[in-house]
Amino acid sequence: MKIGIFGGTFNPIHYGHLRAAEEVRGKLNFDKILFIPSGSPPLKKEEIADAIHRYKMTRLAIFTNRLFELSDIECNPPGKSFTVNTVSKLKKADPEVEFSFILGIDAFLDIINWRQPEKLTALTDFVVISRPDFKFIDLKASPYIKINIRILKELDNAKIETYSIKLNSNRNITFLRLTPIDISSTEIRWLIKQDKSIKYLLPAEVESYIISNKLY
Ligand code: ATP
Ligand code: MG
């Protein structure tokens, strides 16, 4: 059984996330994708909706896809949680499963700021996905991989769609080009603040949830 773990703030979840998860699942043959909305930071950061709201919006967004699952591992108990602990717990609970952690180029570059990044990169395989405004070539600066710059350029120029190598930790990392969908939660929150429409950027059920709960 191969499971792709897709963690995020999902503040709110949008079609960029959903289409990315669907393409990763199909192209890399995952049995399912596990969505994990992050917990709320203990000091409430402005703009981050409560974990329970982000959890419920994610549930509304994925319920029609039987290969998408939702985990409350980071929201329950409430508070800040760390990816390294989450992945350890998932592996302990299901030692037979092959887990891969899915994230965008922007998020992979941020790992250095996460809790125990070296441990995390040794714990699981990774899938790094393309995202508008970010380039695979930016990964040349990552301390966790040694990769030929030519390969990164070929990914950026769509000469190749996917490429796998070993991380320095000896785990696998797969780079995967996806259909570019230029949507971000930041843009959605900004549109809401401006009283502008967010229709067709995210599922209608999520839009209704945001409106009825007066989020953002
Ligand atoms: P924010 O603008 O608040 O940071 P976001 O749109 O970046 O929100 P996150 O919840 O931060 O969404 O992202 C969760 C994961 O999904 C990250 O790994 C991120 O790189 C990836 N991701 C987000 N949007 C896209 C997109 N449009 N295409 C591909 N990957 C995406
Ligand atoms: Mg983000």
Side-chain angles (χ1 to χ4, degrees), residues 65-167:
N65 191 327
R66 63 183 181 85
L67 303 179
F68 285 179
E69 277 183 17
L70 177 60
S71 165
D72 66 358
I73 190 166
E74 295 201 352
C75 312
N76 191 16
K80 187 152 179 57
S81 37
F82 298 99
T83 304
V84 64
N85 299 337
T86 301
V87 175
S88 300
K89 280 191 214 158
L90 290 171
K91 282 180 55 167
K92 273 207 193 94
D94 255 322
E96 306 292 296
V97 170
E98 283 176 52
F99 288 104
S100 290
F101 196 83
I102 302 163
L103 74 192
I105 295 172
D106 56 319
F108 187 78
L109 285 169
D110 194 41
I111 281 192
I112 194 156
N113 302 314
W114 296 9
R115 169 78 56 104
Q116 296 182 300
E118 310 278 345
K119 184 174 172 193
L120 175 63
T121 56
L123 212 49
T124 176
D125 292 345
F126 283 79
V127 175
V128 178
I129 55 178
S130 58
R131 164 167 203 187
D133 293 335
F134 294 91
K135 290 190 169 302
F136 284 108
I137 192 76
D138 298 335
L139 299 172
K140 71 177 191 298
S142 168
Y144 308 113
I145 32 171
K146 277 187 216 65
I147 177 168
N148 192 322
I149 289 186
R150 185 175 51 84
I151 303 287
L152 296 172
K153 284 189 183 151
E154 286 183 0
L155 284 159
D156 284 327
N157 300 335
K159 295 234 166 59
I160 52 176
E161 185 186 43
T162 183
Y163 194 79
S164 294
I165 54 164
K166 294 270 187 205
L167 285 158

Side-chain angles (χ1 to χ4, degrees), residues 165-184:
I165 54 164
K166 294 270 187 205
L167 285 158
N168 295 342
S169 68
N170 223 29
R171 287 281 178 179
N172 294 315
I173 182 165
T174 299
F175 307 98
L176 182 64
R177 276 187 66 87
L178 303 180
T179 307
I181 299 184
D182 196 359
I183 301 176
S184 70

Side-chain angles (χ1 to χ4, degrees), residues 6-21 36 38 47-48 54 101-108 114 127 129-132 134 178-189:
F6 195 26
T9 324
F10 301 133
N11 184 40
I13 191 163
H14 54 67
Y15 281 129
H17 298 126
L18 294 165
R19 181 66 201 170
I36 309 189
S38 66
E47 285 224 315
I48 301 195
R54 292 180 289 105
F101 196 83
I102 302 163
L103 74 192
I105 295 172
D106 56 319
F108 187 78
W114 296 9
V127 175
I129 55 178
S130 58
R131 164 167 203 187
F134 294 91
L178 303 180
T179 307
I181 299 184
D182 196 359
I183 301 176
S184 70
S185 305
T186 302
E187 182 204 0
I188 292 172
R189 295 193 302 272

